[in-house]
Amino acid sequence: MPELPEVETVRRGLEPAMLGARIRKVELRRADIRFPFPNRFAERLKGRQIVALTRRAKYLLFGLDSGEALIAHLGMSGSFRVDAAKAIIPGAFHHERSKDPKHDHVVFELDNGNVVTYNDPRRFGFMDLVRNEALATYPRLCALGDEPLAPEFDADRLAMLSAGSRAPLKAVLLDQKRIAGLGNIYVCEALFRARLSPSNPASILSNARGGPTRAAVALAQAIREVLEQAIEAGGSTLRDHRQADGALGYFQHSFSVYDREGSACPRARCGGTIARISQSGRSTFYCPVCQK
Ligand SMILES: [Zn+2]
């Protein structure tokens, strides 16, 4: 499933192809994906200019000159493809994206000559169209916690979000109401980077006064670094593929612990072996030697 860095990579790939362009035509090839498309979806998009392309957690938000926003979520297997007038800009995914045209569900034709196609074999993604002023109360967005890449997300904030919690660190980091969009992969990677065991109680992040501990400082920095590096890797893949004349592909992230059970810990001189445990039904990968 596309994780936050991949959604951000998609946003950055779509931006040069779509921002400022007018939608000439929208073709819907089915009545629903995960949910039915909103009423008169194609008609409401036709002729509209795309004036902003932002992201909140794993939701893409296309701001329109009508005062509405198109909300798109990629679900488990959604992806966008740009058939560009000048260059091809594929979306970059950890999992291979579908190239099968029978899963092309929505086609946007833009006045700059670009054609943007939404493909989703498993159809867990969705699109909706809402007034800008309704975004703040939109059910799927208003309950979301902090954006982990926002400048104000730091050790103080992390301490505040976890203060008094007896839940394991990993569960708190995966709680979308506290921190939005940080999935299983990047939680495992951030805990490894911060040298923290996923089984620690979240209370280790705050001191008696509710302020951040050293663990919180290390973890806040680790979260930002793992996300930014993954986005950077996606960005370089976009550039490479553009140069490779539009050959569609995906990139394999290099993870330190995720999905590496039984491998040697990549930390120099650690000597540990990556272990896998189950926490609230999800696999956690970590090094029992250097993560305390
Ligand atoms: Zn280790």
Side-chain angles (χ1 to χ4, degrees):
M1 133 166 29
E3 301 274 349
L4 187 148
E6 292 168 321
V7 178
E8 176 60 20
T9 298
V10 169
R11 191 196 70 76
R12 292 181 189 187
L14 290 176
E15 197 166 49
M18 298 186 85
L19 191 60
R22 250 174 224 290
I23 300 168
R24 204 147 52 188
K25 184 184 162 195
V26 176
E27 186 189 339
L28 289 185
R29 299 204 174 149
R30 29 182 318 124
D32 61 4
I33 19 182
R34 181 171 178 183
F35 308 116
F37 287 102
N39 275 335
R40 301 176 50 250
F41 183 69
E43 293 97 303
R44 283 157 74 191
L45 290 171
K46 188 178 174 178
R48 302 277 53 114
Q49 186 180 22
I50 298 164
V51 295
L53 217 175
T54 57
R55 177 188 57 76
R56 173 78 173 103
K58 298 207 291 187
Y59 296 86
L60 292 166
L61 302 170
F62 303 75
L64 306 170
D65 66 349
S66 57
E68 289 187 301
L70 166 63
I71 303 173
H73 192 279
L74 302 173
M76 306 285 285
S77 58
S79 68
F80 284 97
R81 182 179 76 240
V82 179
D83 294 309
K86 292 198 181 74
I88 307 271
I89 308 157
F93 283 88
H94 171 49
H95 303 286
E96 185 161 19
R97 63 174 298 284
S98 163
K99 301 176 185 82
D100 189 338
K102 79 165 184 263
H103 302 303
D104 287 348
H105 304 312
V106 190
V107 181
F108 300 85
E109 287 181 30
L110 306 178
D111 68 350
N112 59 10
N114 294 337
V115 177
V116 177
T117 303
Y118 180 72
N119 179 294
D120 191 351
R122 299 184 63 184
R123 301 202 307 266
F124 278 103
F126 74 91
M127 290 186 194
D128 203 354
L129 203 47
V130 300
R131 300 286 314 165
N132 285 336
E133 53 272 25
L135 282 174
T137 53
Y138 188 75
R140 289 166 185 282
L141 295 177
C142 67
L144 290 173
D146 281 32
E147 184 66 39
L149 284 169
E152 57 274 19
F153 184 79
D154 58 10
D156 285 40
R157 195 61 202 148
L158 199 50
M160 202 183 303
L161 290 168
S162 53
S165 174
R166 286 193 205 132
L169 206 40
K170 192 190 174 205
V172 167
L173 295 175
L174 279 178
D175 180 357
Q176 300 298 302
K177 292 190 175 69
R178 297 184 211 239
I179 305 170
L182 199 58
N184 196 31
I185 293 175
Y186 293 98
V187 167
C188 293
E189 293 293 301
L191 287 169
F192 172 75
R193 188 170 295 226
R195 297 173 179 257
L196 295 171
S197 166
S199 309
N200 276 310
S203 56
I204 65 156
L205 298 178
S206 56
N207 59 31
R209 297 178 308 280
T213 57
R214 283 175 64 179
V217 173
L219 187 56
Q221 189 183 344
I223 289 170
R224 189 173 296 276
E225 285 174 2
V226 295
L227 292 176
E228 284 179 348
Q229 282 181 12
I231 292 167
E232 180 51 39
S236 54
T237 306
L238 286 185
R239 285 190 295 276
D240 293 349
H241 280 287
R242 222 174 295 176
Q243 283 159 6
D245 208 23
L248 288 174
Y250 69 104
F251 66 99
Q252 191 71 43
H253 290 293
S254 53
F255 299 123
S256 295
V257 289
Y258 183 78
D259 210 15
R260 291 179 52 100
E261 182 186 16
S263 303
C265 172
R267 191 163 267 137
R269 292 182 298 280
C270 168
T273 301
I274 306 305
R276 180 170 67 90
I277 55 171
S278 181
Q279 289 182 295
S280 12
R282 311 281 304 272
S283 285
T284 299
F285 298 89
Y286 76 113
C287 174
V289 176
C290 62
Q291 290 181 249
K292 298 293 180 193

